[in-house]
Amino acid sequence: MTSKSNPNQLSLEELRELVPQLQKITQKYKHSESIQKSLFDISELASSISELSSLYPAIHDIIGQLMPAKNFFVAFYEEENEIIDFAYFIDEYDEQVVSKVSADDLKNSITGYILRTGNHLFLTKETYQQKLADISVKDLGANPIDWIGVPLKRGLQVIGAMVVQSYDESIRYGQEDLEILLFVSQHIVNSVDRVKSREITEKSIRQRTRQLRQINDELQEEIIERQKVESLQQALFEISELSASAEGGMYDFYSSIHDILSRLIGAPNCYVAIVDNAKQTLHFPYYKDEIQSKIEPRPMGLGLTEYVIRHGRAELLDGARVQHLTEANELSINLAESKFQKMDSWIGSPLVLDGEICGVIAVQSYNKKKQYNVKDLEFLRFVSHHIAVALSRKQSTDAIKAYNQKLSKEVQERTEELNSTNLFLQKQIEERLQAQQQLEYDAQHDSLTGLANRVLFNRRLKLALASKQRYTKSNYAVIFIDLDRFKQINDSLGHMAGDQFLKEVAIRINSCIRGHDLLARLGGDEFVVLFDNFDSPTDVEEISARIISFIAKPFRIENKDMYSGASIGIAFIESGYQTTDEVLRDSDAAMYQAKSLGRGRYVVFDKTMRKQLLEELEIEDEFRKTLKAKTFEIYSQPIFNLTNQETIYTEYYVRWEHSRIGKIKRKQYWQIAEQFGFTAEMDKYMLTKACEVLQYWQLNGTDQNKRIAINLSIHHLTQISLAIQLIEQIKEAGVNPKKLIIEFDESSLNRRSEFFLPTIKILKRAGITLVLDNFGSGLASLSYLYSYPFDYVKVDHSFIKSLPYSERNLKLIQSVLSISGHLKFKLIAEGIDSAEQYKALIDAGCEFGQGKYLQKAKKLKW
């Protein structure tokens, strides 16, 4: 019977078998989402917390949500002080009394090891002592069951360590916990730096504010002191009767005093003498005499004025007294004689200023009828006190004037400085407010597209859920958009082109939705839209179709036309939803259903999808456990020469049987491995097993003509370095590369075929035989025959099973056979299950084949 169905279409049974894959995808997505949420929580902490003492407990709580972290501490290495600061330490057995410890004391500890080397450390109860011995560190504190420590790095510099540990047998850590801790460590360093920067900034502002307040207080005190001085000066002017009555300058003041003396005691001749600061010269600011109209400054000598200055008291001198003082060498003989030849009586009184004699006021008479007496002496002594007060006033006035000018200048300078500081502080406050607003905006928006991010979207979605609970007639929906070919654009044109592509996608989606709808980018090429206030579900479906149409149009990136597509999952919000995660989970599930149906379409979520996702998660979990335990069943099946039944080589492959579902097809579990990142581990597993068999054959001398074929993913073809590593692994095992055959699936080569030729040539030069498997199952199959130097080409079993009844498939096999000689490859017919198929292939000229008709696959016990 001839099958006319499309071989690329899956049967209903095969579709059901694909359902568990979606469950595993959801589980992985939820796990990634949990980590992403924690990173956003850490980012929000950096925005909301201003002190490091509050940051560490919050980080502890976030880590505790991702993994058991009852015992947790963070330590930083202060290089300038050579100490280790345990900024945060929570441990149920060890109590950290001293927060700062010398780095020398801990350099041989496991924490010191992380700080010295920058390497992470994962210790378990089973490997604890051995690993401590391997890295030469001491065992400090209570022994944990499990211990994980990761470095905290700022760029390439190790600044600290973050550690979680368990003392409970029921709480064990795994590789996934280590990866989580490594993943969030850099985000924690960024958060600590941001909080520390904010703390330093705020401390600087507070300190500067205190300084300005202190300066202002000092300024106020100076102003008050000035007011006191002015008030005191005013009082001095009021109580000083003599000073108040004097007008004009000092000469006028002295003249007024002379008039008073003349009127009271008769003083036609009067002078004021002032000694300089060095006590060397006498100056005469006022001099009025009947005989001599002017007198010049003179050096200090033994005159009458100098006598009063030396003794510091008022003196009444006449001829007899002058004679006596001359004889006592107190006065100069020449001066005394010249004076008293003309003068009969003389009175002089010292001018005392601040306890020191600064000068003398004197009156003298040239008339024998006028002789001064003791009363005149006392009066002059009293007048001299007022003259000294006036001199003091004069000096004080000048000093106060100079002080006022200086103080006024200082006040002006301080006021200008205060105004400038106030303007600077105001500017700093405005800049801080702008920075805070920017931080709040950045925390809720995607830095690349400017769209809302997951934080803002979840906040709005949470409000929508609350509104739906209160107003059941309100209409809300979420669509989940996933883009096609984004990874290819990123890999082929670079990240800048990928960013340009995402920006253009955001613009196109925005042009399709309504103004009040919320578009957000969750990360990578995933976009979501929250719809509200729509009349009918068809409104959302029409917008989704419009988005798919707009994304399908070509993108002009770096002068190249690039094509993409969109798969959309729609989840209409019902009152049964409790959390935002549930809505996103269901819209994501619908999106994956759209992708599995062929992409470029939208699918509305229903409850059967959730069941399918759960089954996929179950398959993923089972596959993960089987791979970790390495309990796959290994089967072998030879490839024969159809004419003489000679074995060309033997293919070894894995079979997997799920504990509940049963046997899983090879193509399906390889898809699971690729989807969840297990392909590298599967490749390593198969390559190791193949090398073990070849080693065994070599040791037993049974490897003369035997060769082994294994199926590997295209992982080793993506980079030349990976192909070289594969060859080195074979050589390290002591295996001849010519004994190894590697089969690559054609459908996998379709994805990035333009990058594989250099690596295929490297494998060929190493002596490895290469096989193109499942030929005809993908697109552009003939291009591989011309482009790549494969030794064998396996025709997909879908072409063999219809023989000899399908003339079309028979012609295809004959066509490939006709070109095999020209292109130097050999054709293998895969899946020969009957004698009719065998005969048809012999008649067509096919030389090699494989199938249960020739020999059934055998289970091996390794």
Side-chain angles (χ1 to χ4, degrees):
M1 177 179 178
T2 302
S3 174
K4 296 185 179 180
S5 60
N6 189 335
N8 291 324
Q9 289 186 347
L10 298 177
S11 65
L12 180 60
E13 180 182 354
E14 289 173 327
L15 286 173
R16 288 175 177 169
E17 290 175 349
L18 287 174
V19 168
Q21 298 178 31
L22 295 176
Q23 293 177 334
K24 292 188 177 182
I25 294 171
T26 302
Q27 182 67 23
K28 183 177 180 181
Y29 171 77
K30 289 177 69 177
H31 179 69
S32 300
E33 185 180 30
S34 176
I35 294 177
Q36 188 68 19
K37 181 178 182 300
S38 299
L39 295 181
F40 278 114
D41 290 343
I42 292 172
S43 178
E44 283 190 334
L45 288 178
S47 302
S48 59
I49 292 180
S50 59
E51 295 181 356
L52 291 172
S53 59
S54 302
L55 176 66
Y56 299 127
I59 291 175
H60 187 182
D61 291 342
I62 293 172
I63 297 295
Q65 295 172 12
L66 296 174
M67 58 188 294
K70 185 176 181 180
N71 304 284
F72 174 82
F73 69 83
V74 179
F76 290 96
Y77 174 56
E78 297 181 4
E79 186 176 2
E80 63 277 9
N81 300 321
E82 294 188 352
I83 62 172
I84 298 175
D85 181 13
F86 287 86
Y88 182 77
F89 191 97
I90 299 296
D91 192 282
E92 58 187 328
Y93 287 101
D94 292 335
E95 182 178 357
Q96 188 73 16
V97 178
V98 181
S99 63
K100 296 187 176 182
V101 183
S102 171
D104 286 337
D105 296 340
L106 292 180
K107 67 180 180 180
N108 291 325
S109 67
I110 50 181
T111 303
Y113 170 79
I114 294 174
L115 295 175
R116 280 188 289 104
T117 65
N119 298 326
H120 64 267
L121 198 57
F122 183 14
L123 304 175
T124 65
K125 180 180 71 174
E126 294 79 6
T127 64
Y128 189 76
Q129 296 300 332
Q130 181 61 42
K131 282 196 175 181
L132 291 187
D134 291 343
I135 61 177
S136 302
V137 299
K138 297 179 181 178
D139 185 10
L140 301 179
N143 290 344
I145 300 300
D146 286 343
W147 193 97
I148 300 178
V150 297
L152 299 178
K153 296 182 178 180
R154 184 182 293 113
L156 298 177
Q157 181 186 7
V158 180
I159 65 169
M162 180 170 62
V163 174
V164 296
Q165 52 189 336
S166 167
Y167 298 100
D168 191 344
E169 288 282 357
S170 64
I171 299 176
R172 300 300 302 269
Y173 296 134
Q175 187 67 25
E176 185 176 350
D177 298 315
L178 172 61
E179 291 172 358
I180 288 173
L181 216 57
L182 285 169
F183 187 66
V184 303
S185 62
Q186 185 55 46
H187 297 270
I188 289 174
V189 171
N190 294 338
S191 298
V192 169
D193 287 346
R194 289 169 62 188
V195 173
K196 185 180 293 184
S197 176
R198 186 184 298 109
E199 190 177 51
I200 292 173
T201 301
E202 291 181 352
K203 182 177 179 182
S204 175
I205 292 175
R206 288 195 298 270
Q207 182 179 3
R208 186 58 181 159
T209 303
R210 285 196 300 269
Q211 291 176 348
L212 290 174
R213 188 178 292 112
Q214 183 179 357
I215 292 172
N216 186 57
D217 292 342
E218 293 175 355
L219 210 58
Q220 293 296 329
E221 290 177 2
E222 290 183 8
I223 292 172
I224 292 171
E225 184 65 23
R226 175 189 172 187
Q227 292 173 346
K228 288 181 179 179
V229 170
E230 290 177 348
S231 300
L232 178 60
Q233 184 63 29
Q234 183 64 31
L236 289 175
F237 278 111
E238 291 175 355
I239 65 174
S240 179
E241 183 178 346
L242 183 61
S243 299
S245 62
E247 296 180 359
M250 287 301 298
Y251 186 87
D252 294 332
F253 173 74
Y254 293 138
S255 179
S256 298
I257 293 297
H258 185 191
D259 292 341
I260 294 171
L261 293 176
S262 298
R263 187 171 59 253
L264 294 176
I265 62 174
N269 307 291
C270 176
Y271 69 87
V272 175
I274 302 296
V275 65
D276 65 359
N277 293 331
K279 307 294 185 184
Q280 299 296 325
T281 305
L282 279 176
H283 297 271
F284 299 91
Y286 182 79
Y287 190 88
K288 192 69 175 288
D289 192 85
E290 294 173 303
I291 299 174
Q292 187 176 358
S293 61
K294 188 177 181 181
I295 188 171
E296 297 296 330
R298 73 165 189 260
M300 293 283 286
L302 293 176
L304 301 178
T305 303
E306 288 89 331
Y307 175 76
V308 173
I309 291 174
R310 284 199 305 274
H311 291 277
R313 61 177 180 269
E315 291 289 343
L316 173 61
L317 300 178
D318 54 14
R321 179 66 175 161
V322 169
Q323 184 66 32
H324 175 72
L325 292 175
T326 301
E327 292 174 356
N329 296 321
E330 290 284 352
L331 296 176
S332 168
I333 296 175
N334 296 331
L335 181 61
E337 290 178 351
S338 64
K339 273 284 184 185
F340 276 90
Q341 286 177 354
K342 303 175 182 178
M343 182 178 64
D344 291 325
S345 184
W346 184 90
I347 301 176
S349 180
L351 299 174
V352 180
L353 184 63
D354 295 330
E356 291 188 5
I357 297 174
C358 64
V360 172
I361 183 170
V363 293
Q364 52 192 354
S365 170
Y366 296 108
N367 188 348
K368 293 184 178 181
K369 295 180 179 179
K370 177 56 181 175
Q371 296 290 323
Y372 295 114
N373 54 33
V374 176
K375 290 183 178 180
D376 298 329
L377 177 65
E378 291 297 327
F379 178 75
L380 188 61
R381 182 184 294 116
F382 175 74
V383 171
S384 68
H385 171 70
H386 289 280
I387 294 173
V389 170
L391 290 174
S392 175
R393 166 187 169 274
K394 174 65 174 171
Q395 293 179 357
S396 297
T397 301
D398 293 343
I400 289 174
K401 184 178 180 181
Y403 175 76
N404 286 341
Q405 290 176 346
K406 179 181 179 182
L407 184 61
S408 178
K409 183 178 180 181
E410 288 182 355
V411 170
Q412 183 179 358
E413 290 175 352
R414 295 290 179 88
T415 301
E416 291 175 355
E417 181 181 355
L418 184 60
N419 290 335
S420 176
T421 305
N422 286 337
L423 290 174
F424 176 72
L425 281 176
Q426 185 177 359
K427 183 179 179 181
Q428 280 191 324
I429 292 171
E430 291 175 355
E431 289 177 351
R432 182 179 175 187
L433 288 174
Q434 291 176 357
Q436 185 175 355
Q437 291 172 354
Q438 186 63 41
L439 285 174
E440 292 176 356
Y441 179 86
D442 291 344
Q444 299 183 92
H445 291 81
D446 176 46
S447 60
L448 176 63
T449 61
L451 300 177
N453 61 11
R454 187 183 295 273
V455 174
L456 179 56
F457 186 81
N458 281 340
R459 192 172 297 167
R460 288 280 300 275
L461 182 53
K462 189 175 182 180
L463 293 175
L465 289 175
S467 176
K468 185 66 177 180
Q469 295 289 341
R470 294 185 62 186
Y471 308 104
T472 56
K473 293 184 179 181
S474 299
N475 291 325
Y476 298 97
V478 169
I479 68 170
F480 202 109
I481 307 168
D482 184 76
L483 305 175
D484 298 335
R485 296 172 58 82
F486 171 66
K487 188 175 186 301
Q488 183 175 353
I489 294 173
N490 243 0
D491 293 342
S492 60
L493 299 182
H495 291 290
M496 291 186 65
D499 291 346
Q500 183 182 347
F501 169 73
L502 290 175
K503 290 178 182 179
E504 177 62 24
V505 167
I507 294 172
R508 293 190 184 187
I509 297 175
N510 243 332
S511 67
C512 296
I513 64 177
R514 303 165 303 173
H516 59 277
D517 297 328
L518 178 63
L519 170 62
R521 178 180 175 230
L522 299 185
D525 60 343
E526 295 179 343
F527 294 82
V528 289
V529 181
L530 173 62
F531 294 94
D532 65 350
N533 194 27
F534 54 86
D535 297 329
S536 169
T538 57
D539 295 342
V540 177
E541 295 178 13
E542 288 176 359
I543 293 175
S544 299
R546 188 158 58 245
I547 292 172
I548 292 171
S549 175
F550 273 50
I551 298 299
K553 295 179 180 179
F555 291 80
R556 190 67 177 173
I557 300 175
E558 295 187 357
N559 296 322
K560 296 181 181 179
D561 285 335
M562 303 297 295
Y563 292 88
S564 182
S567 299
I568 297 178
I570 304 174
F572 291 102
I573 298 178
E574 304 295 338
S575 55
Y577 282 112
Q578 299 297 322
T579 65
T580 58
D581 291 343
E582 294 175 356
V583 180
L584 288 172
R585 176 199 63 197
D586 290 348
S587 61
D588 187 33
M591 181 273 293
Y592 273 103
Q593 182 71 10
K595 289 178 68 175
S596 66
L597 293 176
R599 303 178 182 270
R601 64 186 67 203
Y602 64 83
V603 171
V604 179
F605 176 81
D606 60 51
K607 294 182 179 179
T608 59
M609 296 179 188
R610 191 173 300 154
K611 183 179 178 181
Q612 293 173 354
L613 288 173
L614 292 174
E615 288 183 358
E616 289 186 355
L617 291 174
E618 182 183 352
I619 292 178
E620 179 199 353
D621 184 59
E622 185 85 11
F623 185 82
R624 187 191 301 272
K625 292 177 181 177
T626 305
L627 180 58
K628 185 176 182 180
K630 298 180 179 178
T631 56
F632 288 109
E633 295 179 345
I634 307 297
Y635 282 78
S636 68
Q637 189 174 33
I639 285 79
F640 291 99
N641 186 319
L642 299 181
T643 58
N644 59 17
Q645 303 302 311
E646 179 186 351
T647 300
I648 306 304
Y649 66 85
T650 303
E651 179 184 2
Y652 283 68
Y653 58 89
V654 167
R655 280 186 179 176
W656 178 44
E657 185 170 348
H658 192 275
S659 58
R660 184 180 64 84
I661 299 173
K663 290 184 179 180
I664 305 297
K665 291 185 178 182
R666 180 161 52 168
K667 184 176 181 180
Q668 184 177 356
Y669 66 68
W670 270 108
Q671 288 176 346
I672 294 171
E674 184 176 353
Q675 234 171 359
F676 298 104
F678 301 141
T679 54
E681 293 183 53
M682 283 292 292
D683 287 346
K684 184 178 180 181
Y685 174 75
M686 290 300 300
L687 188 58
T688 301
K689 290 298 181 183
C691 290
E692 288 175 359
V693 173
L694 290 172
Q695 286 173 341
Y696 176 78
W697 287 349
Q698 288 176 4
L699 291 174
N700 290 275
T702 60
D703 67 331
Q704 295 178 358
N705 297 315
K706 290 185 177 182
R707 295 189 296 171
I708 288 179
I710 58 173
N711 289 270
L712 295 185
S713 70
I714 61 169
H715 172 73
H716 295 284
L717 299 181
T718 57
Q719 298 180 34
I720 293 176
S721 60
L722 296 177
I724 295 174
Q725 289 177 12
L726 184 147
I727 295 169
E728 290 176 351
Q729 182 179 347
I730 296 171
K731 290 181 178 179
E732 287 175 1
V735 172
N736 185 353
K738 294 182 179 180
K739 299 290 186 180
L740 185 64
I741 299 171
I742 300 178
E743 297 186 0
F744 293 106
D745 186 82
E746 182 208 57
S747 59
S748 298
L749 288 173
N750 280 329
R751 298 172 193 171
R752 295 178 62 190
S753 58
E754 66 272 20
F755 301 109
F756 297 151
L757 186 57
T759 51
I760 288 177
K761 289 182 178 179
I762 289 175
L763 296 177
K764 284 280 290 180
R765 284 197 294 268
I768 298 173
T769 301
L770 301 180
V771 178
L772 177 62
D773 196 10
N774 297 323
F775 175 72
S777 62
L779 301 175
S781 302
L782 290 176
S783 65
Y784 300 132
L785 305 183
Y786 290 95
S787 302
Y788 302 125
F790 288 105
D791 298 286
Y792 294 93
V793 174
K794 269 189 179 182
V795 176
D796 189 70
H797 66 88
S798 62
F799 293 93
I800 307 302
K801 68 180 180 180
S802 61
L803 297 180
Y805 309 105
S806 174
E807 187 69 23
R808 180 180 180 184
N809 289 347
L810 187 59
K811 291 293 185 184
L812 182 140
I813 294 171
Q814 291 173 340
S815 298
V816 177
L817 280 170
S818 67
I819 64 174
S820 62
H822 300 289
L823 300 181
K824 297 180 182 180
F825 67 83
K826 297 175 182 179
L827 188 68
I828 300 173
E830 183 181 15
I832 304 175
D833 296 337
S834 67
E836 291 82 0
Q837 295 171 352
Y838 174 78
K839 185 177 183 306
L841 290 167
I842 290 291
D843 294 341
C846 184
E847 187 178 358
F848 304 103
Q850 179 186 28
K852 63 183 180 181
Y853 174 75
L854 303 173
Q855 183 177 310
K856 292 183 178 181
K858 294 181 181 180
K859 181 178 179 181
L860 298 182
K861 295 182 180 179
W862 287 8

